[in-house]
């Protein structure tokens, strides 16, 4: 006789009993419609013709005070009504949301110190209480926001923009620096992190669902300090558990091969793997280019110093003057090489790094679909076992136990149907999200290449001007 015990589900975080009859996934009919309601500018973002998935959720009101560690006073919550939703749909084309991350400042002393960033928001969206406001947030607050969005929307097939990576070395340097040492806050590490956080916020705000999420709006509006996101620490219990979960999922990705019946997903999976590999190679090449440009700047500086020393020793007046001018020109060229190296990094390197992380988020969504499929197949397997048990009990003349087995068959049949509905729903949502991803990817790379070429041409024009200015001095040597 078959074993009566039910095997544990493959993934406990995927609920195959979820009811998908509420139609909440039909709020946005396509990813193209999502983008149609956005007004995107170079500085920022966009507004949306809709609301977060599911039923409307309460909105956290503003709290008075800045970085107040005392318990905040509960404020009334506002629920987005249907009238507000209809108004958003009518006015969506004229609405905007711009976010700037600036003014990093160190708070605290020693190992308890941290850097707070000023998050400035400008918008005319009616969901927000004011049109312009600002708050201060620490790095762990950004990571906590990302974790909340992943927990809410990943299972439904949404692509969540990844948050910047943590850096133990850079963070430790900031903690151990002097409170009055402003150089640590204006260095490369803090500036790169600030720019990465700003890009993360803009990508999140550009998403038509994430930008109206209550947690996202609370992050932008609440003037009080947010609850500490301890789970983002690598040494916390939640961090260790998250590490074990990642190891388990990595093993599952290697050992389980889904029998894919949809050629679209098979093609996209291959495309994302190839795109990931090529972007990583290009990112490595650009990093090497940045290093070589900086080395060229160092060598140019050394040449300028040598030319200046030679001009001091030269007795011929015209030649000495020409060598002195050559040294000054080489110093200007050194500055251009350093500027070009910084441009290569800030424009090309950072974009490639962001999209490598975004492709990782796409892979996470694809794997979530595989997990839903596994749970659906698990439910199908259990249904077949229950049917076998019911048939054997009926043949053995045990009607009472047969009736119980019949109830279990009905329950597992419902789970199979819900599992299939969830699988179909996440598959459809991923296709919509991939439409948005491809449109934004092409637009971002086009804008980046144009900006990079414009900067490159500007530096080359300045380089030509410097040498043209030196040429008459060289010809004047008699």
């Amino acid at each position: 006789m078959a074993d009566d015990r039910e095997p544990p589900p493959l993934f406990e975080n995927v609920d195959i009993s979820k009811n998908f009859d509420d139609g909440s996934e039909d709020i946005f009919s396509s990813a193209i419609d999502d983008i149609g309601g956005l007004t995107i500018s170079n500085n920022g973002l966009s507004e949306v013709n809709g609301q977060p998935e599911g039923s409307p959720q309460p909105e956290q009101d503003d709290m008075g005070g800045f970085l107040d560690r005392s318990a905040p006073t509960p404020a009334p919550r506002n629920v987005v009504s249907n009238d507000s939703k209809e108004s958003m749909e009518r006015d969506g084309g004229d609405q905007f949301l711009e976010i700037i991350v600036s003014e990093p400042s160190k708070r605290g002393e020693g190992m308890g110190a941290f850097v707070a960033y000023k998050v400035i928001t400008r918008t005319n969206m009616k969901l927000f209480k004011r049109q312009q406001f600002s708050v201060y947030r620490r790095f762990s607050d950004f990571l906590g926001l990302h974790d909340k969005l992943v927990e809410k929307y990943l299972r439904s097939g949404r692509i969540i923009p990844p948050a910047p990576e943590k850096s133990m070395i850079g963070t430790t340097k900031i903690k151990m620096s002097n409170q009055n040492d402003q150089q640590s806050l204006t260095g490369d590490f803090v500036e790169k992190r600030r720019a990465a956080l700003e890009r993360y916020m803009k990508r999140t705000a550009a998403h038509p669902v994430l930008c109206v999420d209550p947690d996202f709006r609370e992050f932008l509006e609440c003037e009080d300090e947010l609850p500490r996101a301890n789970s983002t620490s690598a040494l916390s219990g939640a961090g260790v558990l998250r590490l074990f979960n990642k190891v388990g999922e990595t093993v599952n990705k290697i050992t389980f091969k889904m029998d894919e019946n949809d050629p679209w997903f098979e093609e996209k999976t291959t495309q994302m793997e190839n795109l990931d590999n090529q972007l990583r190679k290009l990112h490595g090449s650009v990093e090497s280019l940045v290093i070589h440009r900086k080395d060229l700047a160092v060598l140019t500086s050394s040449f300028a110093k040598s030319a200046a020393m030679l001009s001091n020793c030269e007795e011929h007046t015209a030649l000495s003057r020409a060598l002195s001018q050559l040294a000054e020109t080489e110093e200007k060229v050194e500055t251009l090489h350093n500027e070009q190296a910084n441009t290569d990094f800030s424009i090309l390197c950072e974009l490639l790094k962001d999209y490598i992380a975004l492709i990782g988020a796409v892979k996470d969504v694809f794997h979530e679909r595989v997990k839903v499929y596994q749970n659906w197949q698990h439910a199908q397997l259990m249904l077949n076992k229950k049917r076998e048990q019911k048939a054997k009990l009926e043949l053995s003349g045990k009607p009472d136990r047969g009736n119980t087995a019949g109830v279990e068959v009905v329950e597992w049949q419902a789970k199979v149907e819900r599992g299939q509905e969830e699988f179909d729903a996440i598959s459809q949502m991923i296709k919509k999200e991939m439409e948005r991803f491809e449109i934004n990817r092409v637009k971002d790379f086009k804008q980046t290449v144009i900006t990079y070429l414009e900067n490159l041409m500007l530096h080359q024009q300045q380089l030509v001007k410097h040498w043209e200015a030196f040429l008459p001095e060289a010809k004047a040597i008699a």
Side-chain angles (χ1 to χ4, degrees):
M1 181 178 294
D3 191 357
D4 292 339
R5 293 177 298 177
E6 300 177 5
L10 298 175
F11 292 96
E12 295 182 356
N13 63 330
V14 180
D15 185 7
I16 62 175
S17 302
K18 181 181 178 181
N19 187 1
F20 285 87
D21 296 334
D22 57 357
S24 60
E25 295 295 339
D26 295 328
I27 293 178
F28 304 95
S29 58
S30 80
I32 301 298
D33 294 338
D34 289 344
I35 299 175
L38 300 176
T39 303
I40 303 178
S41 65
N42 290 335
N43 292 330
L45 320 163
S46 44
E47 181 17 81
V48 45
N49 297 332
Q51 299 195 142
E53 299 170 8
S55 59
Q57 300 189 27
E59 177 186 20
Q60 179 67 46
D61 199 355
D62 281 340
M63 308 287 193
F66 164 63
L67 289 177
D68 183 8
R69 297 185 180 275
S70 61
T73 304
R77 294 183 169 288
N78 299 327
V79 178
V80 180
S81 64
N82 291 331
D83 294 339
S84 176
K85 176 183 175 182
E86 292 174 359
S87 176
M88 290 171 58
E89 292 175 351
R90 288 195 304 268
D91 304 332
D94 299 329
Q95 293 180 336
F96 67 91
L97 178 62
E98 298 178 358
I99 299 177
I100 298 175
V101 179
S102 63
E103 300 181 20
S105 58
K106 185 178 178 181
R107 309 293 171 86
E109 293 287 347
M111 295 307 294
F114 62 91
V115 177
Y117 301 85
K118 187 176 184 179
V119 182
I120 305 171
T121 306
R122 288 192 292 269
T123 182
N124 61 354
M125 293 172 60
K126 295 181 180 179
L127 288 175
F128 293 93
K129 301 175 182 64
R130 290 170 291 170
Q131 293 187 348
Q132 182 169 341
F133 44 89
S134 63
V135 294
Y136 281 84
R137 296 287 180 255
R138 58 191 298 174
F139 182 69
S140 60
D141 293 333
F142 291 89
L143 299 183
L145 172 65
H146 176 262
D147 289 346
K148 291 178 181 178
L149 296 178
V150 167
E151 183 179 358
K152 283 184 181 181
Y153 298 105
L154 181 63
R155 280 175 48 190
S156 63
R158 297 288 183 186
I159 299 176
I160 313 299
E165 296 179 350
K166 291 179 285 188
S167 174
M168 295 296 295
I169 297 177
T171 303
T172 303
K173 288 182 179 179
I174 294 296
K175 290 179 180 293
M176 300 306 296
S177 64
N178 192 306
Q179 178 71 23
N180 298 323
D181 185 10
Q182 292 299 320
Q183 185 176 0
S184 62
L185 296 178
T186 57
D188 287 344
F189 170 73
V190 174
E191 174 56 26
K192 290 177 183 178
R193 172 169 282 188
R194 182 210 62 77
L197 291 173
E198 182 172 288
R199 293 194 304 272
Y200 161 66
M201 293 301 295
K202 288 185 175 182
R203 283 200 171 95
T204 304
H207 195 287
V209 175
L210 305 183
C211 72
V212 293
D213 178 81
D215 287 319
F216 182 70
R217 286 184 280 129
E218 180 185 33
F219 180 91
L220 295 177
E221 285 190 298
C222 181
E223 295 181 354
D224 283 326
E225 182 180 2
L226 296 177
R228 181 72 183 276
N230 294 321
S231 61
T232 60
S233 174
L235 302 179
S236 64
V240 175
L241 181 60
R242 185 168 56 250
L243 177 62
F244 279 109
N245 290 336
K246 286 184 178 179
V247 172
E249 292 195 2
T250 301
V251 173
N252 180 69
K253 290 178 183 178
I254 298 174
T255 57
F256 180 80
K257 298 298 180 182
M258 178 179 171
D259 186 14
E260 186 61 73
N261 296 321
D262 191 333
W264 185 92
F265 277 98
E266 188 174 358
E267 178 185 350
K268 284 298 179 182
T269 300
T270 303
Q271 177 189 350
M272 289 298 106
E273 288 292 343
N274 294 335
L275 185 60
D276 186 25
N277 293 332
Q278 295 303 321
L279 286 179
R280 290 181 184 276
K281 291 180 181 179
L282 182 57
H283 182 260
S285 298
V286 176
E287 282 187 329
S288 299
L289 177 62
V290 171
I291 294 173
H292 288 316
R293 286 197 193 277
K294 290 184 176 181
D295 291 341
L296 179 59
V298 172
L299 294 175
T300 303
S301 175
S302 177
F303 177 76
K305 293 177 181 178
S306 298
M309 294 176 64
L310 181 59
S311 68
N312 293 330
C313 301
E314 179 58 50
E315 295 182 355
H316 191 283
T317 304
L319 181 57
S320 175
R321 185 170 58 249
L323 289 173
S324 177
Q325 288 292 331
L326 177 61
E328 293 180 5
T329 302
E330 290 290 352
E331 289 177 354
K332 296 176 182 178
V333 172
E334 175 205 355
T335 302
L336 287 178
H337 287 324
N338 279 320
E339 290 178 356
Q340 186 61 55
N342 293 332
T343 299
D344 291 344
F345 179 84
S346 61
I347 295 180
L348 280 183
C349 245
E350 293 298 272
L351 174 76
L352 295 172
K353 184 178 179 181
D354 286 350
Y355 265 91
I356 290 171
L358 275 169
I359 290 177
V362 172
K363 290 181 179 180
D364 289 341
V365 172
F366 280 21
H367 182 59
E368 197 70 23
R369 176 175 174 268
V370 173
K371 289 158 64 175
V372 172
Y373 175 81
Q374 286 183 270
N375 281 273
W376 173 27
Q377 295 304 305
H378 165 75
Q380 184 66 56
L381 177 63
M382 289 302 305
L383 175 61
N384 294 337
K385 288 185 177 181
K386 294 300 181 182
R387 284 173 175 171
E388 291 178 4
Q389 292 175 5
K390 178 185 176 183
K392 289 180 180 179
L393 290 173
E394 289 176 348
L395 292 175
S396 62
K398 299 178 180 178
D400 293 339
R401 296 186 62 186
N403 292 335
T404 303
V407 173
E408 293 179 346
V409 167
V410 173
E411 292 177 353
W412 280 103
Q413 179 66 45
K415 290 182 180 181
V416 169
E417 293 175 357
R418 286 191 289 269
Q420 183 175 3
E421 290 174 359
E422 184 177 3
F423 181 75
D424 293 340
I426 193 174
S427 299
Q428 182 181 8
M429 182 57 65
I430 289 175
K431 291 181 179 181
K432 294 177 181 178
E433 288 288 295
M434 286 302 296
E435 288 181 18
R436 287 190 68 258
F437 174 80
E438 291 296 339
I439 292 173
N440 290 333
R441 182 173 68 88
V442 173
K443 182 183 64 178
D444 287 346
F445 272 85
K446 175 184 176 181
Q447 181 179 352
T448 298
V449 170
I450 292 175
T451 304
Y452 176 73
L453 291 178
E454 289 175 346
N455 280 273
L456 185 62
M457 291 174 62
L458 179 61
H459 285 118
Q460 293 301 316
Q461 289 170 359
Q462 292 175 347
L463 187 63
V464 171
K465 288 181 180 179
H466 292 328
W467 288 118
E468 286 179 344
F470 169 73
L471 185 58
E473 194 68 37
K475 290 181 178 180
I477 301 176

